[in-house]
Amino acid sequence: MMLLLMLAAALQTAANPQQPPDQTMMVEPAAMLIAACDADGDAQVTAAELSACLARSFAGADTAHAGSIGYIQYGDWAKRYLGDENALPSPFEVDGDHDNRITLAELQADFARIFARLDTNHDGVVTRTECLTIRALPFGDGGRRRRH
């Protein structure tokens, strides 16, 4: 039965070459930021490059030079560097001590965790390839939503 469904989907795609593929490559917001931290232009990001990049971006968000930012400031930071104020990681995730403030150390610790997850070959650098995620689209609709 599954084979028949797969064959039908393949025939439908062949009959309609304008239809998008059943999967696509995406970059999660945190991975997009990490890729942008490539300071030397070698298309690889080291942990040191990421740490320095986060320090620069955090300094821009910490306008009061208090050493920490609130969740609203984090939302502004996320909008600028992750593309949306609601992008992950959320401030609740980053705020390791749950004091409703985010420090540079907390931001760097959370991104170090993301960096380690993305560094799939464990060589200490994250490449553009490692930043990509292959996402399967819902079967049968090509990822399009219907209008009602």
Side-chain angles (χ1 to χ4, degrees), residues 1 10 16 20 32 36 41 45 47 50 53 58 63 69 89 104 118 120 137:
M1 180 66 152
N16 185 2
M32 184 172 59
V45 178
L50 175 60
C53 178
F58 186 85
T63 56
I69 58 175
L104 174 59
L118 292 174
T120 55
L137 298 175

Side-chain angles (χ1 to χ4, degrees), residues 4 27 31 43 45 48 63 76 103 112 119 121 123 132 134 137:
L4 288 175
V27 177
V45 178
T63 56
D76 294 340
T103 64
D119 183 14
N121 64 0
D123 65 353
L132 293 176
I134 296 179
L137 298 175

Side-chain angles (χ1 to χ4, degrees), residues 3 11-12 25 35 40 44 52 57 62 64-65 74 82 89 97 114 117-119 121 127 139:
L3 184 58
L11 289 173
Q12 182 180 13
M25 286 187 256
D40 61 9
Q44 300 181 86
S57 70
D62 184 14
H65 308 291
Y74 180 84
L82 302 177
D97 61 8
I114 296 167
R117 177 177 51 83
L118 292 174
D119 183 14
N121 64 0
T127 64
F139 184 74

Side-chain angles (χ1 to χ4, degrees), residues 7-87:
L7 181 58
L11 289 173
Q12 182 180 13
T13 301
N16 185 2
Q18 300 299 329
Q19 182 178 356
D22 289 335
Q23 60 187 15
T24 188
M25 286 187 256
M26 301 177 54
V27 177
E28 64 184 272
M32 184 172 59
L33 170 67
I34 290 171
C37 290
D38 176 18
D40 61 9
D42 65 354
Q44 300 181 86
V45 178
T46 65
E49 285 175 313
L50 175 60
S51 182
C53 178
L54 290 171
R56 284 189 302 276
S57 70
F58 186 85
D62 184 14
T63 56
H65 308 291
S68 66
I69 58 175
Y71 287 7
I72 292 173
Q73 288 172 299
Y74 180 84
D76 294 340
W77 177 89
K79 184 173 183 178
R80 182 172 187 180
Y81 292 100
L82 302 177
D84 188 273
E85 63 235 12
N86 297 310

